Amino acid sequence: MQTQSDKLVVLVTKGIESELSSVAFTIANGGITAGLKVSVFLTSTGIDLVRKGGQRMTHVPPLDPLASLIENFRQRGGTIWACPPCVTSRGYTQEDLLDGIVIVGASAMHAEIKEGAATLSF
């Protein structure tokens, strides 16, 4: 039985090479503005979005620069999870990622979904 929730999980598989990463964080920030508890789960090349310096490589006008979108999201209480195998396959460690990024498996995302979180994928 699905319950109504004030949670949103955004799954991001696109990285700095795609404008969809900026769209995803624009929508995630909009979710916070709408009063939702928003979590972003990064997989595949999405991991590069939170590699220190990586997010500065993307700006899709007229959207805000990706680095600003991510920082805004984090400052407003958004949670960013990074897929452990995706981090490892790129040779990254926790120290390579922005502060506050949680390396955690999909179980964190699944727990939110079980509690009724809406989902979006990019």
Side-chain angles (χ1 to χ4, degrees), residues 83-104:
C83 160
C86 302
V87 170
T88 301
S89 71
R90 284 160 179 74
Y92 302 156
T93 65
Q94 185 73 56
E95 292 74 36
D96 296 309
L97 306 179
L98 297 174
D99 292 339
I101 304 305
V102 180
I103 299 174
V104 66

Side-chain angles (χ1 to χ4, degrees), residues 65-80:
L66 183 59
S68 296
L69 292 169
I70 292 172
E71 184 59 25
N72 187 357
F73 179 76
R74 293 171 56 222
Q75 286 180 351
R76 295 172 67 206
T79 300
I80 302 176

Side-chain angles (χ1 to χ4, degrees), residues 39-78:
S39 303
V40 172
F41 187 67
L42 303 173
T43 66
S44 190
T45 60
I47 297 299
D48 291 322
L49 302 176
V50 294
R51 178 182 45 81
K52 290 178 181 171
Q55 66 286 350
R56 284 183 249 149
M57 300 176 75
T58 302
H59 183 197
V60 182
L63 301 176
D64 290 339
L66 183 59
S68 296
L69 292 169
I70 292 172
E71 184 59 25
N72 187 357
F73 179 76
R74 293 171 56 222
Q75 286 180 351
R76 295 172 67 206

